[in-house]
Amino acid sequence: MKLFLAVLCAFLTAYASGQNAPFAKTFMNGQIILKDGTKKNGQIKWFPDQNGKLKFRESENAATQKFSPEELSGFIVDTLQYVSLFNFEVFSDEYSLWGKQTIIKHTFGQLLDSGSFNIYFIVVSFYSALSGSIQSYPNFLFEKKSDSVNQYAAFPYGTRMRPKKYEKAKEILYNFFRNYPGIIEKVKGWKQQDDFFAVIEQMKMLN
């Protein structure tokens, strides 16, 4: 288990910067899933960003098509599965500066686990007033599906902010996981210097 957490942590730490995703700079073999469930094999290129369209071609010499999250159910590259996600809030500089979450219209999220709730890892990019440049902001996103409106809760990963800000962010998870006292206990005990992947593993066991 410790080895798995170490490998996952290393992968997501590299992935969090966007350009380190395996398909960010070059086409990789994969599969797109259309809205009607149809699957198409080919080559995929996508920079992890909420504003970027996925590029797809059926072969190296074929014409390249572009797809937004609205046009796909998701895609698969190697063992990585991504799902189209819509209308949720994440943590970025807005939260660090003003205590306000940022609304995301759409993006693709890496599916980490599914069950009574789904766990995703997403990366969004914005201009940072603190650094004066475009910055990537990784988040864990939790989803409960229903017949009416899906419920979401995000939690920042590796974002620099005051400990009090992190404690405030944890309150969102307390509400989302109110029927899972074991998860709430784990989240409450988590500190900024701790490995949040231990919490994710606890969530998986109870999912």
Side-chain angles (χ1 to χ4, degrees), residues 112-126:
L112 301 181
D113 194 52
S114 60
S116 55
F117 56 88
N118 297 328
I119 306 174
Y120 303 96
F121 187 75
I122 64 170
V123 178
V124 295
S125 300
F126 300 100

Side-chain angles (χ1 to χ4, degrees), residues 10-11 23 27 42 54 58 61 69-70 72 77 92 103 110 127 138 144 147 159 166 168 183 186 189 192:
F11 169 76
F23 42 75
F27 279 93
L54 179 147
E58 295 187 3
N61 297 320
E70 283 88 354
L72 298 175
V77 173
S92 67
I103 298 174
Q110 182 188 349
Y127 175 81
K144 291 179 185 175
D147 294 333
T159 300
Y166 265 106
K168 189 70 175 178
I183 292 178
K186 199 75 174 177
Q192 192 171 353

Side-chain angles (χ1 to χ4, degrees), residues 66-80:
K66 294 183 180 181
F67 294 93
S68 68
E70 283 88 354
E71 297 171 295
L72 298 175
S73 291
F75 68 93
I76 299 172
V77 173
D78 197 13
T79 60
L80 307 178

Side-chain angles (χ1 to χ4, degrees), residues 3-203:
L3 177 61
F4 171 78
L5 287 174
V7 172
L8 181 60
C9 181
F11 169 76
L12 292 185
T13 299
Y15 172 83
S17 62
Q19 68 269 21
N20 291 312
F23 42 75
K25 293 183 177 181
T26 185
F27 279 93
M28 292 191 65
N29 292 333
Q31 184 180 73
I32 59 171
I33 306 171
L34 303 181
K35 284 296 187 180
D36 62 2
T38 301
K39 298 179 180 180
K40 288 187 175 182
N41 294 320
Q43 297 179 333
I44 291 171
K45 184 179 180 181
W46 176 64
F47 188 91
D49 178 88
Q50 73 277 12
N51 298 314
K53 288 191 175 184
L54 179 147
K55 295 180 180 179
F56 174 80
R57 62 190 186 191
E58 295 187 3
S59 65
E60 186 174 351
N61 297 320
T64 298
Q65 301 171 273
K66 294 183 180 181
F67 294 93
S68 68
E70 283 88 354
E71 297 171 295
L72 298 175
S73 291
F75 68 93
I76 299 172
V77 173
D78 197 13
T79 60
L80 307 178
Q81 180 178 353
Y82 289 79
V83 176
S84 297
L85 300 168
F86 307 96
N87 303 318
F88 55 90
E89 296 181 334
V90 298
F91 293 89
S92 67
D93 258 5
E94 281 192 299
Y95 184 78
S96 301
L97 294 172
W98 303 295
K100 178 183 177 182
Q101 286 184 269
T102 305
I103 298 174
I104 301 298
K105 178 184 176 182
H106 61 218
T107 193
F108 297 107
Q110 182 188 349
L111 180 63
L112 301 181
D113 194 52
S114 60
S116 55
F117 56 88
N118 297 328
I119 306 174
Y120 303 96
F121 187 75
I122 64 170
V123 178
V124 295
S125 300
F126 300 100
Y127 175 81
S128 169
L130 292 176
S131 66
S133 61
I134 300 295
Q135 296 291 319
S136 295
Y137 299 93
N139 280 247
F140 290 101
L141 185 69
F142 307 97
E143 176 190 50
K144 291 179 185 175
K145 290 192 172 184
S146 67
D147 294 333
S148 53
V149 179
N150 293 348
Q151 181 182 352
Y152 293 100
F155 194 75
Y157 173 68
T159 300
R160 294 179 61 184
M161 63 178 71
R162 295 181 182 275
K164 288 185 178 180
K165 293 282 189 179
Y166 265 106
E167 291 300 314
K168 189 70 175 178
K170 286 159 68 171
E171 294 179 6
I172 296 174
L173 299 188
Y174 300 157
N175 180 59
F176 186 88
F177 291 109
R178 57 186 175 274
N179 296 323
Y180 299 86
I183 292 178
I184 292 177
E185 180 181 357
K186 199 75 174 177
V187 173
K188 283 184 176 180
W190 180 85
K191 302 300 180 183
Q192 192 171 353
Q193 67 272 18
D194 296 337
D195 184 359
F196 196 76
F197 292 102
V199 179
I200 295 295
E201 288 305 304
Q202 179 74 14
M203 292 176 178

